[in-house]
Amino acid sequence: LRLGHDEFRYIMLNKPTGTVSTTDEDDEKSVMRLLPTEMRRLRMFPCGRLDIDTVGLLIITNDGQTAHALLSPKHHCEKTYGFECLPLPEGAKERLEAGIELSDFTSKPCEVRLDTVERGTITVTEGKYHQIKRMFHAVGSEITFLERLSFGGIELDKTLSRGQWRYLTEDEIRELKSAADGN
């Protein structure tokens, strides 16, 4: 598939642990090093960040306007993560869902689904620094594994191994743009 230099590209990457969401070509841990060299020349960048030890869905694009809109607090772009944690204390789920007061902000209400007291999913509409880890710490638990499963309505392709990538489908691009428009 050959596209012109002026066309936008949208990539789904299954980010492995030990990589960082940076465009710094000199950083050996940069997620951009997982892409072919010709893709890295197209001014592509990760749409948002995942911590070095967080895995899963990372959208990489050269569409700055859509990326900015997706990351804007006013659009409330949903991000769902699978997690494993130290056992959640009684009432922790309800506290997490109501919003947690942290030192520099109060998290917005979120949705938590528990499989057990040590694993489940959490859906947030923010992306503050170490937000989920800090929220769990505030309720007396600790995240031991975190994987982004969806972003802006796009779900991680389960056929992608860690470190693999693919282009988004036309339907996924429409879904992403709809999320960027706040729909």
Side-chain angles (χ1 to χ4, degrees):
L1 180 65
R2 309 263 321 151
L3 299 173
H5 282 289
D6 57 342
E7 293 185 48
F8 293 130
R9 289 164 183 81
Y10 307 88
I11 288 174
M12 171 186 298
L13 171 70
N14 188 346
K15 181 191 167 298
T17 189
T19 57
V20 292
S21 304
T22 178
T23 56
D24 183 355
E25 289 285 328
D26 296 329
D27 189 338
E28 291 180 11
K29 296 178 182 175
S30 172
V31 293
M32 301 307 288
R33 288 179 158 249
L34 299 170
L35 303 178
T37 306
E38 60 269 16
M39 297 301 291
R40 299 193 310 245
R41 290 191 193 120
L42 300 173
R43 297 180 185 255
M44 299 191 70
F45 55 91
C47 183
R49 296 187 178 276
L50 291 177
D51 297 338
I52 192 167
D53 55 348
T54 301
V55 298
L57 176 61
L58 189 61
I59 303 294
I60 298 176
T61 186
N62 58 348
D63 182 350
Q65 184 174 349
T66 297
H68 178 73
L70 287 166
L71 299 172
S72 169
K74 71 179 181 177
H75 287 287
H76 308 291
C77 177
E78 288 191 349
K79 300 165 231 9
T80 299
Y81 297 80
F83 66 84
E84 294 176 12
C85 63
L86 298 181
L88 283 166
E90 185 79 28
K93 176 185 184 292
E94 293 76 15
R95 287 183 60 206
L96 289 166
E97 289 183 324
I100 299 290
E101 188 173 330
L102 301 169
S103 62
D104 52 341
F105 74 101
T106 299
S107 66
K108 292 185 177 163
C110 64
E111 181 182 340
V112 178
R113 293 188 181 178
L114 295 176
D115 300 328
T116 70
V117 294
E118 297 174 329
R119 78 178 315 150
T121 61
I122 183 169
T123 300
V124 297
T125 57
E126 304 167 288
K128 307 273 189 191
Y129 182 73
H130 293 289
Q131 178 177 344
I132 295 171
K133 292 175 182 175
R134 293 174 63 203
M135 289 169 64
F136 274 68
H137 187 263
V139 297
S141 182
E142 183 181 329
I143 291 288
T144 58
F145 174 79
L146 195 59
E147 176 181 29
R148 186 187 285 160
L149 302 172
S150 71
F151 178 89
I154 307 300
E155 292 191 17
L156 177 62
D157 183 337
K158 294 182 185 354
T159 66
L160 290 177
S161 298
R162 300 272 188 247
Q164 289 188 318
W165 65 274
R166 70 163 173 79
Y167 289 103
L168 292 187
T169 66
E170 290 298 321
D171 285 344
E172 289 169 332
I173 294 170
R174 274 193 291 280
E175 182 73 29
L176 203 64
K177 288 184 175 274
S178 177
D181 291 337
N183 299 327

